[in-house]
Amino acid sequence: MFLIERYIIAEIRRPVTVMVGILTFVFASYSAERYLTQATNGTLAVQSVADMVMYKVIIALEMLVPVALYTSVAMALGRLYHDSEITAILASGSSPVRLYKAIALISLPLAIAVTVLSVYGRPWAYTQSYQLEQQSKTDLDVSHLLPQRFNLNPDNGRMILAESIDKDSGELTDALIYDPGDGKSRIFRSHTAKVIDANPAAPLVELTKGSSYTLDHQDSKDVVNTFDNKLQLQLKPLELEPDNKRKSTSTAMLSVSALPQDKAELQWRETRGISAMLLALLAVPLSRTAPRKGRFSTLLPIAIVFAVIFYAGNICRTLVGNAAIPLLPGVWLVPLAMSIALLGFLTRDLALLRRRRK
C-alpha cells in the first residue's frame, strides 16, 4: 500500500531539500552583499548585517519554498516520464490519481509551513527588520558615521559630512548637514555638531557657531541665517512607507481593518500555502512528456505557467488594494483558477484511463 506514492515522494524529497538550501544560500549571499555594502558606506551598523540577512531570508522563504517544490516536482516527474516509469505504472492498472495523491502528500506539510510563514513569520520578520533598520540606519548614529565622507541615508536623502567624529561624545567637527524636504531643502554648516537624540522618530542635533541655508524649490525665497551660540535642530523623522507598514502589520490587525489595501495584504498571506500546493499539483500534468523525449523539454512551458501565476497574483493584490475588483473572490481568484485548471487536467486523465480500459 502506498508503494507508488512512497517511491514518487522519495524522488521529489531530495531535490526539494537541495533546492531550498541552494536558493536560500543564494538569496542570503545576495542580501549579505547588499547590507555589507551599506555597512561599508556607513549607512548600516556592521553588527546588524547578520540579523538583517536572517530576517530577509525568513521573508523570502514563502516564495523560495513553493518555487523549489514546483521545480522539483516538474524535474522528478519529467525524469520518470522520460524513463517510461510512469507509463509502466499506469500500464499496471494504477490510476493517475495516485500521482496527484503522492504530490499532495509531500506538498501538504510544505503548504502548511508556507502558510505559517506567511501569516505569522513574514510580518514578524518585517517588523524586526524595520525596527533594526530604523535603529541602525539612522543617519545620526555616530557609531557608523565615517569622517571626511558623504554619509548619505537613501531612505530620506539626508547627508552628513564631518571633518572628524568623536564616537564617544557624539560630537562632529566642521560639520555639514543637508536635510531635503518636499518644498524646501535645508543646509547647516557649523563648527561643531553634537547628536542629542539619534532616535529616527525624533532626531535632535545641537549646532555651535555656523550658518543655515533654507532653499526654496519653487521660488527664490532662500533664507540665510548665522548663529554664534548653540542651536538645537529638530530634523525630519524617518518614517516607513505605507506599504512597508502594512507588510509588518500583524494578521490579526489586518483581519479587523476595513481598508482594501489591508484586505489585499491579508488575502495574499492566506493564499500562499494553498497556492504552493496547487502549483505543485499542476506540475503533474505539465511535466508529462513522451517516452524517450528530453526530460527537460517541458521546463519552458512550466516556467511560463509559473510566471503567469506569480504575476497574476501580484496584479490581483494590486487590484484588490485599489478596490478595482471586489473582495470576493479578490486575491483568491488565482487559486480558484488554478483549482479549475487542475480539475480539468484530472478529469482528462481519468477519461483517458477509462478509454484505455475499454
Side-chain angles (χ1 to χ4, degrees):
M1 188 176 180
F2 294 125
L3 178 62
I4 295 176
E5 287 83 355
R6 288 201 302 271
Y7 178 69
I8 295 175
I9 289 173
E11 288 292 316
I12 298 172
R13 185 170 53 237
R14 182 177 297 176
V16 168
T17 304
V18 172
M19 194 163 295
V20 169
I22 292 175
L23 291 176
T24 301
F25 175 77
V26 171
F27 183 82
S29 300
Y30 166 77
S31 299
E33 187 272 337
R34 171 190 172 191
Y35 290 116
L36 282 173
T37 300
Q38 293 182 6
T40 303
N41 294 334
T43 58
L44 180 67
V46 176
Q47 59 268 26
S48 302
V49 172
D51 291 336
M52 288 297 300
V53 171
M54 181 187 67
Y55 296 140
K56 292 301 181 182
V57 167
I58 293 175
I59 293 170
L61 279 176
E62 72 162 10
M63 179 60 65
L64 299 181
V65 172
V67 169
L69 177 62
Y70 178 65
T71 306
S72 299
V73 171
M75 293 178 62
L77 293 184
R79 188 197 70 78
L80 294 179
Y81 275 115
H82 174 267
D83 296 342
S84 302
E85 292 188 45
I86 291 184
T87 302
I89 291 174
L90 298 178
S92 67
S94 297
S95 170
V97 175
R98 300 190 69 173
L99 299 178
Y100 292 94
K101 183 189 295 185
I103 304 305
L105 288 174
I106 191 173
S107 301
L108 182 59
L110 292 178
I112 294 174
V114 169
T115 301
V116 173
L117 272 172
S118 184
V119 174
Y120 300 106
R122 179 170 170 264
W124 174 82
Y126 266 119
T127 300
Q128 298 301 316
S129 65
Y130 291 148
Q131 288 179 353
L132 191 59
E133 281 182 337
Q134 283 194 316
Q135 292 171 3
S136 63
K137 288 184 66 175
T138 172
D139 38 29
L140 299 178
D141 186 357
V142 296
S143 64
H144 62 268
L145 288 180
L146 301 177
Q148 302 180 11
R149 293 190 63 174
F150 292 102
N151 297 278
L152 178 65
N153 190 329
D155 293 328
N156 55 19
R158 187 179 298 139
M159 187 277 298
I160 296 178
L161 174 66
E163 181 67 24
S164 61
I165 300 175
D166 189 338
K167 297 185 182 297
D168 295 329
S169 64
E171 187 172 279
L172 290 71
T173 303
D174 196 9
L176 175 68
I177 300 176
Y178 171 70
D179 190 32
D182 295 333
K184 297 180 180 180
S185 295
R186 299 185 299 172
I187 300 176
F188 301 92
R189 181 70 184 269
S190 65
H191 177 65
T192 59
K194 187 173 183 179
V195 178
I196 304 300
D197 189 355
N199 183 3
L204 183 63
V205 180
E206 185 178 79
L207 308 178
T208 304
K209 292 184 181 181
S211 304
S212 66
Y213 307 86
T214 303
L215 308 179
D216 197 317
H217 295 174
Q218 303 298 328
D219 302 319
S220 58
K221 299 179 181 179
D222 300 337
V223 179
V224 180
N225 293 316
T226 59
F227 52 92
D228 295 327
N229 298 320
K230 295 182 179 180
L231 171 68
Q232 286 200 346
L233 175 62
Q234 187 79 51
L235 296 175
K236 183 180 178 181
L238 181 63
E239 297 180 353
L240 289 177
E241 296 293 331
D243 287 343
N244 292 341
K245 291 181 179 179
R246 191 167 295 113
K247 291 177 181 178
S248 61
T249 303
S250 67
T251 302
M253 293 293 293
L254 291 178
S255 62
V256 298
S257 174
L259 295 176
Q261 296 89 344
D262 291 343
K263 292 298 183 183
E265 175 67 21
L266 176 63
Q267 291 184 355
W268 173 265
R269 297 179 187 180
E270 293 172 341
T271 56
R272 291 309 86 204
I274 186 65
S275 294
M277 186 170 182
L278 290 172
L279 193 62
L281 290 171
L282 281 173
V284 176
L286 293 175
S287 60
R288 182 176 290 113
T289 59
R292 294 178 300 278
K293 197 172 182 180
R295 67 179 67 180
F296 302 115
S297 59
T298 60
L299 287 185
L300 179 59
I302 285 175
I304 293 174
V305 169
F306 174 80
V308 170
I309 293 174
F310 175 76
Y311 285 110
N314 283 331
I315 291 172
C316 281
R317 178 170 60 171
T318 302
L319 292 176
V320 172
N322 295 333
I325 60 176
L327 292 176
L328 289 176
V331 182
W332 286 96
L333 181 63
V334 175
L336 180 62
M338 294 168 65
S339 300
I340 294 174
L342 181 61
L343 183 60
F345 282 124
L346 185 57
T347 302
R348 183 201 63 179
D349 291 345
L350 292 176
L352 290 174
L353 179 64
R354 287 194 295 268
R355 195 176 305 165
R356 289 172 184 171
R357 288 179 176 177
K358 289 181 180 179

Short mmCIF file of all heavy atoms in Angstrom, two decimals, residues 6 63 80 190 202 218 292 300 305 316-317 346:
data_model
loop_
_atom_site.label_atom_id
_atom_site.label_comp_id
_atom_site.label_asym_id
_atom_site.label_seq_id
_atom_site.Cartn_x
_atom_site.Cartn_y
_atom_site.Cartn_z
N ARG A 6 5.10 6.35 -2.15
CA ARG A 6 6.38 6.48 -1.43
C ARG A 6 7.53 6.62 -2.40
O ARG A 6 8.49 7.37 -2.15
CB ARG A 6 6.60 5.27 -0.51
CG ARG A 6 5.70 5.25 0.72
CD ARG A 6 6.31 4.36 1.80
NE ARG A 6 6.53 3.01 1.32
CZ ARG A 6 5.64 2.01 1.39
NH1 ARG A 6 4.44 2.25 1.94
NH2 ARG A 6 5.93 0.80 0.93
N MET A 63 8.33 32.43 -0.69
CA MET A 63 8.44 32.34 -2.14
C MET A 63 9.42 31.26 -2.56
O MET A 63 9.19 30.53 -3.53
CB MET A 63 8.87 33.68 -2.71
CG MET A 63 9.05 33.69 -4.23
SD MET A 63 7.52 33.26 -5.12
CE MET A 63 6.50 34.64 -4.66
N LEU A 80 10.82 10.60 -14.60
CA LEU A 80 10.02 9.37 -14.59
C LEU A 80 9.30 9.16 -15.92
O LEU A 80 9.18 8.03 -16.40
CB LEU A 80 9.02 9.41 -13.44
CG LEU A 80 9.62 9.40 -12.02
CD1 LEU A 80 8.52 9.48 -10.97
CD2 LEU A 80 10.49 8.16 -11.79
N SER A 190 28.34 74.08 10.59
CA SER A 190 28.68 74.52 11.94
C SER A 190 30.08 74.07 12.31
O SER A 190 30.62 73.10 11.75
CB SER A 190 27.67 73.97 12.95
OG SER A 190 27.74 72.57 13.02
N ALA A 202 12.48 61.09 16.25
CA ALA A 202 12.59 62.50 16.67
C ALA A 202 14.05 62.88 16.79
O ALA A 202 14.56 63.14 17.88
CB ALA A 202 11.86 62.71 17.99
N GLN A 218 10.56 76.23 -5.23
CA GLN A 218 9.66 76.86 -6.20
C GLN A 218 10.08 78.29 -6.52
O GLN A 218 10.16 78.67 -7.69
CB GLN A 218 8.22 76.84 -5.66
CG GLN A 218 7.69 75.46 -5.30
CD GLN A 218 7.62 74.54 -6.50
OE1 GLN A 218 7.39 74.98 -7.62
NE2 GLN A 218 7.81 73.24 -6.27
N ARG A 292 11.24 8.67 -24.22
CA ARG A 292 12.49 8.94 -24.93
C ARG A 292 12.62 10.39 -25.38
O ARG A 292 13.51 10.71 -26.16
CB ARG A 292 12.64 7.99 -26.13
CG ARG A 292 12.81 6.53 -25.74
CD ARG A 292 12.92 5.65 -26.94
NE ARG A 292 11.74 5.73 -27.79
CZ ARG A 292 10.62 5.05 -27.58
NH1 ARG A 292 10.54 4.23 -26.53
NH2 ARG A 292 9.60 5.16 -28.38
N LEU A 300 10.31 24.88 -20.21
CA LEU A 300 9.91 26.20 -20.69
C LEU A 300 8.44 26.48 -20.44
O LEU A 300 8.10 27.52 -19.84
CB LEU A 300 10.25 26.35 -22.18
CG LEU A 300 9.86 27.69 -22.81
CD1 LEU A 300 10.55 28.84 -22.10
CD2 LEU A 300 10.20 27.70 -24.30
N VAL A 305 4.15 29.04 -17.10
CA VAL A 305 2.97 28.91 -16.22
C VAL A 305 3.26 29.53 -14.87
O VAL A 305 2.42 30.25 -14.30
CB VAL A 305 2.57 27.43 -16.08
CG1 VAL A 305 1.54 27.26 -14.97
CG2 VAL A 305 2.02 26.91 -17.40
N CYS A 316 -3.67 40.81 -9.00
CA CYS A 316 -4.91 40.72 -8.23
C CYS A 316 -4.78 41.44 -6.90
O CYS A 316 -5.70 42.13 -6.46
CB CYS A 316 -5.28 39.25 -8.01
SG CYS A 316 -6.05 38.46 -9.42
N ARG A 317 -3.63 41.31 -6.25
CA ARG A 317 -3.42 42.01 -4.97
C ARG A 317 -3.49 43.52 -5.17
O ARG A 317 -4.10 44.23 -4.37
CB ARG A 317 -2.08 41.61 -4.36
CG ARG A 317 -1.78 42.32 -3.05
CD ARG A 317 -0.59 41.75 -2.32
NE ARG A 317 0.63 41.84 -3.10
CZ ARG A 317 1.84 41.57 -2.60
NH1 ARG A 317 1.96 41.18 -1.34
NH2 ARG A 317 2.92 41.66 -3.37
N LEU A 346 -7.26 16.69 -14.24
CA LEU A 346 -7.57 15.42 -13.59
C LEU A 346 -8.72 14.71 -14.30
O LEU A 346 -8.68 13.48 -14.50
CB LEU A 346 -7.94 15.67 -12.13
CG LEU A 346 -8.18 14.44 -11.25
CD1 LEU A 346 -6.96 13.52 -11.26
CD2 LEU A 346 -8.52 14.85 -9.83
#
